[in-house]
Structure formats: C-alpha cells, structure tokens
Amino acid sequence: MIRRLTPLLAAALCLTACTDGGANHTPLPVGPTATADVSLAPLPSPSLGPVVNSDGCQGLIAAGQVQQATGLPVQPSQGDGAAAVAQYGQAVQTLGLNARARMCPFGNPAGDQVTVVALTFTDASQAAKLWTTIASLEAVGGVGEAALSDKSKTLLTRRGKAIVAVYMVVTAAPDADHLSQLRTVANTALSKA
C-alpha cells in the first residue's frame, strides 16, 4: 500500500508546488499518475521498420537517360515503387479502366526530383477516356499525340494506349521553363510505355 501511495503523494506535492503560478514555474499537465503496479516492460520503439525497395519502374526509363535529358545528377530513389504502382492501377480501375502502371522516381541529395509515371491501357480508347478527365494544363506540342504542361514542373502526354506523366523539380530554378527537358524525358518513356 505504501509503494502505491508514494508515487501518488509525490505527484500531488509536485502539482501544488510546481503549478503555483510563479514567474519561474510552468504549469504541468494533469494526467494519470503512475503506480508501483505499472509494467516495467520497455516502451515500443518509435523507429520505423526497414525500408522496402521494390521496382515499380520495370525498365521504363533509366537514371542515365533521365540525367542526359535533364542535366540533373539523379539516381533511382529508394522506396516501395511497386506499392505506389499498385495505387495508380487501383485509381484507374475506379474509373472503369484497366492499365499497367509503372513509376520511376529519381532524385539527388540537393533536392532535385524527377518522377515518371506510365499508364499503358488495354486499348487506345481507354487512354483517350482518361485523357479527357485531365484539366488545368496548357496544350503543348513536340511529344506524343497530345501533351499538356505547365512548362515548369509537369508534363502529361498520350500516344496510342499509353499516358506518360513527368514531374520534375529543379531546386536551383524551380519555376523556370523546363519544357524541353520534360519533353525529352517523356519521349524516352513513351518509347517503352
């Protein structure tokens, strides 16, 4: 009984002494108090499990091709690309479409990023159906049968039964016109989509 009362008594004394409202004191939160019967088991670790690396790119585009097209020293990014690809496939299924998805993320320690996503549909009419849902970007030429871009970070293009999206962040000039690099990356990916 005394072992249980001791932590309660210490907490009660601290609440009155530590929260007296003086200039040098900070009020403490009131919460449950510990007892001697509390398990001494260690707390769960806040660390995350090991990083899973799986290839969602499946040979769509290589880091060397992205480096040549953009001039950025990027490498494949770590992460579970196959899981991200599954989410793209599920998203198009909600629209009643069926596509093979591939995603290729690249980056570097400076913060430059290039992500290429390709959706290859069972036929061109499915790709066209998804294409009609895309809005808010300006039509551009020089890549695929149709292309839309903000000319800085994003380019979407369609050819036949494939849609390729390229997203690029250049930390040194994030809002500059990068359309030529976006086109080159997209054309390279379209050749294998």
Side-chain angles (χ1 to χ4, degrees):
M1 179 80 166
I2 293 177
R3 287 177 53 194
R4 248 187 216 171
L5 289 177
T6 305
L8 291 173
L9 183 60
L13 288 174
C14 184
L15 281 177
T16 57
C18 298
T19 60
D20 68 354
N24 295 327
H25 291 70
T26 304
L28 297 177
V30 177
T33 57
T35 65
D37 295 339
V38 173
S39 170
L40 297 177
L43 295 174
S45 172
S47 63
L48 301 174
V51 173
V52 176
N53 290 308
S54 58
D55 183 19
C57 188
Q58 302 169 8
L60 178 65
I61 191 167
Q65 292 170 306
V66 173
Q67 288 177 18
Q68 185 175 5
T70 64
L72 300 172
V74 295
Q75 295 298 317
S77 297
Q78 300 295 312
D80 191 356
V85 163
Q87 291 176 350
Y88 280 101
Q90 291 168 355
V92 296
Q93 285 178 349
T94 63
L95 299 171
L97 306 173
N98 187 16
R100 174 184 181 212
R102 292 184 276 176
M103 184 176 113
C104 309
F106 302 95
N108 63 32
D112 299 321
Q113 299 173 25
V114 179
T115 302
V116 182
V117 177
L119 298 172
T120 306
F121 294 87
T122 54
D123 57 58
S125 66
Q126 287 194 24
K129 183 178 179 181
L130 180 64
W131 190 257
T132 62
T133 67
I134 301 169
S136 77
L137 294 173
E138 179 183 335
V140 295
V143 59
E145 296 165 2
L148 302 167
S149 181
D150 65 2
K151 298 182 181 179
S152 176
K153 296 179 178 82
T154 306
L155 183 131
L156 300 164
T157 187
R158 178 177 57 86
R159 180 188 299 155
K161 61 182 184 175
I163 293 177
V164 170
V166 179
Y167 178 72
M168 181 170 69
V169 175
V170 179
T171 55
D175 296 321
D177 185 339
H178 299 294
L179 184 57
S180 65
Q181 293 105 320
L182 290 164
R183 278 186 186 129
T184 305
V185 172
N187 276 323
T188 303
L190 271 175
S191 69
K192 291 189 179 180

